Amino acid sequence: MTATAVLTARALLLDMDGTLVNSDASVERVWRRWADRNGLDGDEVMKVVHGRQGYASMALLLPDRPMEQNHADNARMLAEETADTEGVVQVPGAREFLASLAGLPHALVTSADVALSTARMAAAGLRQPDVRVTAESVGASKPDPEGFLKGAAELGVDPADCVVFEDSGAGIAAARAAGMRVVGIGPRAGFHAPDAVVADLTRVRVASAPDGTIRLHVTQ
């Protein structure tokens, strides 16, 4: 059984990893090495790291470690991830989905920094949205709503009129805290009660309405 949900928005805010780009292979390699270096179980680490900035994941996993050490480790991890693009590909339908947004208000809101987001989007063969909110743009990591609120502000759209595309629990929580609706992408998203959830972006159709709103047809 399939059902199509129709959501109306004035702007779309797009996560990157797991939403537009499948970078799971790179994330696994880098974070499992970090887990080994710190004597942690790799499977448990992987349950935490998706959607957050690295230092925030480290703070959850090693709560007694000084934050300055987490930030230093995070800088090294970002460099490792930026250099490791093997197996980084688009989420199915991402290229066509981004093409359908040409001329419509949308922004990338990612926990990656500029270098990492540029490398991964290029590796996946995807264009960068003109408006981007990256790690350098915010003071707090998802699940804090700061990134999504900043994306809405830069587009000049009320948060309630935004729809977020996300794959992770941290990202969906951030969108909810910002007062936004969420389309969940992929298997992780379904555990966190988004407004709609799809396997990938081939299941989403975008149309511009005469009143300037965006209509999303989401086939679940």
Side-chain angles (χ1 to χ4, degrees):
M1 290 287 290
T2 60
T4 299
V6 180
L7 301 176
T8 301
R10 292 198 173 275
L12 306 182
L13 303 178
L14 317 174
D15 175 52
M16 182 183 71
D17 292 302
T19 300
L20 298 173
V21 171
N22 182 345
S23 56
D24 282 359
S26 173
V27 172
E28 288 262 349
R29 286 190 291 268
V30 171
W31 276 98
R32 286 185 181 277
R33 287 197 299 268
W34 181 87
D36 288 343
R37 290 196 298 268
N38 288 278
L40 297 174
D41 181 273
D43 290 340
E44 294 304 311
V45 168
M46 295 313 302
K47 293 176 183 177
V48 171
V49 300
H50 293 290
R52 294 179 173 85
Q53 291 191 44
Y55 73 85
S57 296
M58 294 170 194
L60 289 173
L61 293 160
L62 296 172
D64 296 326
R65 193 165 79 155
M67 279 304 297
E68 57 265 27
Q69 191 173 346
N70 293 338
H71 282 286
D73 240 7
N74 185 50
R76 288 189 289 270
M77 296 279 285
L78 284 169
E80 286 185 53
E81 290 184 289
T82 301
D84 183 358
T85 57
E86 183 180 352
V88 174
V89 296
Q90 68 160 335
V91 167
R95 191 171 298 115
E96 294 79 7
F97 173 72
L98 285 170
S100 73
L101 300 184
L104 301 176
H106 65 286
L108 187 73
V109 181
T110 176
S111 294
D113 64 4
V114 169
L116 180 57
S117 60
T118 300
R120 284 186 174 163
M121 292 288 279
L126 299 177
R127 71 162 182 85
Q128 290 267 20
D130 293 335
V131 178
R132 297 182 289 276
V133 179
T134 61
E136 297 94 337
S137 308
V138 298
S141 170
K142 299 172 185 176
D144 190 282
E146 181 185 0
F148 287 125
L149 292 172
K150 185 162 188 176
E154 292 199 17
L155 293 171
V157 176
D158 188 274
D161 290 328
C162 295
V163 169
V164 169
F165 284 73
E166 261 286 1
D167 74 300
S168 71
I172 291 170
R176 291 283 189 221
M180 299 174 182
R181 291 156 294 153
V182 188
V183 175
I185 307 296
R188 284 189 291 266
F191 295 106
H192 304 285
D195 294 275
V197 62
V198 292
D200 56 49
L201 290 164
T202 66
R203 312 292 288 178
V204 180
R205 183 167 63 85
V206 180
S208 178
D211 64 357
T213 59
I214 301 167
R215 292 177 66 83
L216 300 170
H217 298 260
V218 182
T219 303
Q220 303 182 78

